[in-house]
Amino acid sequence: QEHACVRLRNLSMHPRCKLQMVQDGVMEPLVGLMRSPLEVIQEHTVVCIRNLSMALDNVVTIMENDALPPLIGMLRHHDPKIQEHAAVAIRNLSVHDECEAKVVSEGALPPLIYLLRHEIKAVQEHAVGALRNLSVIPENKNRIAKEGGLPPLILLLKSNVDKIQELAAYTVHNLSAGSVLNQHNIVRDGGLVPLVSLLSSRNEATVEQAVGALRNITLVDENKLKLVAEGGLLPVLTLLRFDRESIQEHATGTVWNLSTHPENELKIVQEGALPPLIKLLRSRNVLIGRQ
């Protein structure tokens, strides 16, 4: 069995083989082998499924063959390599719209959230990547928070790995969209300061997600004052001059939210907001001009 698994693992790395292997019925025996008592078989098998799940056309077939329960079980494995491979496979599966709800209903959230605190950065990255995908669905937003996802996600905003920071900021941004409860709880759990710190990141994608999260959070009245009190006003205003339109849009939206609180109006003017805001009135982006 081991030699056959190694051969399949090697074949699954080749783009041309990924679809053919699944079409030829490889999934049923692979799912069975994931439950092997031999760890070496488990590892080869989960790597093979990880590779096959990279092809979007394979995702539905992988799910139909009940690969998800053993994959979720492997998130709790004592071997970090197996945990990482399982997290990558679930991350790949959760990209597919039809699979996101099932990944959650099958119980993937608790082990994924647990892995956010893993000592190995690669495991953290793929766990937060999976949660980023799952947090797009409205019904998952409060569920991720209810399962205890916010504190470890906020901790990852301070990660020394740029990609982990970006994915954590993306997930927090998603969770803050359309959920007043999460908008309150992100601030309650200490998310404000690390989000403000990320506004000066060299990674523009991280900046965009962080300021997008702040835009959502400042829809809550009490958070409008808290952001200013934590020194977030000037970094947000600085982004009004940013070249990237999506960042400008979130920054102007945040300033708009802050300006609706009477105690912030004068501070916004004193910090020099008027010149860049007046300039943005001529923006080709209609939403930016309106804000």
Side-chain angles (χ1 to χ4, degrees):
Q1 283 185 333
E2 181 180 351
H3 294 301
C5 285
V6 171
R7 180 61 177 158
L8 288 172
R9 175 177 177 169
N10 292 338
L11 287 172
S12 69
M13 295 174 62
H14 297 285
R16 292 183 180 179
C17 295
K18 294 182 194 297
L19 293 176
Q20 191 63 50
M21 290 173 67
V22 172
Q23 289 169 4
D24 288 346
V26 76
M27 283 310 307
E28 184 177 349
L30 282 178
V31 170
L33 288 171
M34 276 199 288
R35 297 184 171 91
S36 169
L38 301 177
E39 287 189 11
V40 64
I41 299 292
Q42 292 174 11
E43 182 180 350
H44 289 315
T45 306
V46 72
V47 172
C48 188
I49 292 176
R50 167 186 173 163
N51 293 339
L52 295 175
S53 69
M54 293 173 66
L56 194 59
D57 288 344
N58 285 340
V59 168
V60 173
T61 305
I62 291 172
M63 297 289 282
E64 288 174 346
N65 279 271
D66 292 326
L68 197 52
L71 282 172
I72 292 172
M74 285 181 169
L75 294 175
R76 297 184 173 93
H77 204 283
H78 65 87
D79 186 335
K81 295 192 299 296
I82 290 178
Q83 287 180 309
E84 179 185 346
H85 295 314
V88 175
I90 290 173
R91 179 181 180 179
N92 292 341
L93 294 174
S94 64
V95 171
H96 201 290
D97 292 342
E98 295 179 18
C99 300
E100 290 173 332
K102 190 171 183 181
V103 169
V104 172
S105 67
E106 291 283 351
L109 286 184
L112 285 172
I113 290 169
Y114 178 78
L115 292 180
L116 296 178
R117 301 184 188 271
H118 203 284
E119 60 184 6
I120 296 176
K121 301 295 186 184
V123 177
Q124 290 181 359
E125 179 180 336
H126 295 302
V128 72
L131 289 170
R132 186 273 310 270
N133 297 339
L134 296 172
S135 63
V136 172
I137 298 182
E139 52 266 32
N140 286 345
K141 296 179 188 296
N142 289 342
R143 192 165 180 179
I144 290 171
K146 188 176 179 180
E147 293 284 356
L150 285 178
L153 283 168
I154 289 167
L155 194 62
L156 291 183
L157 294 174
K158 308 171 190 175
S159 174
N160 57 6
V161 178
D162 286 347
K163 192 62 180 178
I164 292 176
Q165 279 189 338
E166 178 189 333
L167 290 168
Y170 207 135
T171 308
V172 172
H173 183 190
N174 286 345
L175 295 178
S176 68
S179 172
V180 175
L181 181 62
N182 285 345
Q183 290 162 6
H184 278 282
N185 291 344
I186 289 166
V187 175
R188 180 202 65 189
D189 292 340
L192 207 51
V193 172
L195 284 170
V196 170
S197 296
L198 290 180
L199 299 183
S200 59
S201 171
R202 292 171 297 178
N203 182 341
E204 289 189 8
T206 300
V207 174
E208 179 180 346
Q209 299 307 322
V211 71
L214 290 173
R215 178 184 185 178
N216 293 335
I217 288 167
T218 53
L219 289 169
V220 175
D221 267 354
E222 63 191 64
N223 292 342
K224 302 178 198 292
L225 293 177
K226 288 180 180 179
L227 177 60
V228 174
E230 292 292 352
L233 179 56
L234 187 56
V236 170
L237 295 179
T238 300
L239 297 181
L240 296 175
R241 304 178 189 275
F242 216 90
D243 290 335
R244 192 162 171 168
E245 274 197 3
S246 54
I247 291 177
Q248 285 183 337
E249 182 181 322
H250 287 314
T252 54
T254 306
V255 174
W256 167 262
N257 292 342
L258 296 176
S259 70
T260 60
H261 198 293
E263 292 184 35
N264 287 335
E265 291 175 349
L266 182 59
K267 293 175 183 177
I268 291 171
V269 175
Q270 289 174 335
E271 290 289 355
L274 288 181
L277 285 172
I278 291 169
K279 185 177 180 180
L280 287 173
L281 290 173
R282 296 189 292 271
S283 173
R284 290 173 298 177
N285 185 318
V286 176
L287 187 56
I288 290 175
R290 286 178 180 172
Q291 294 176 137

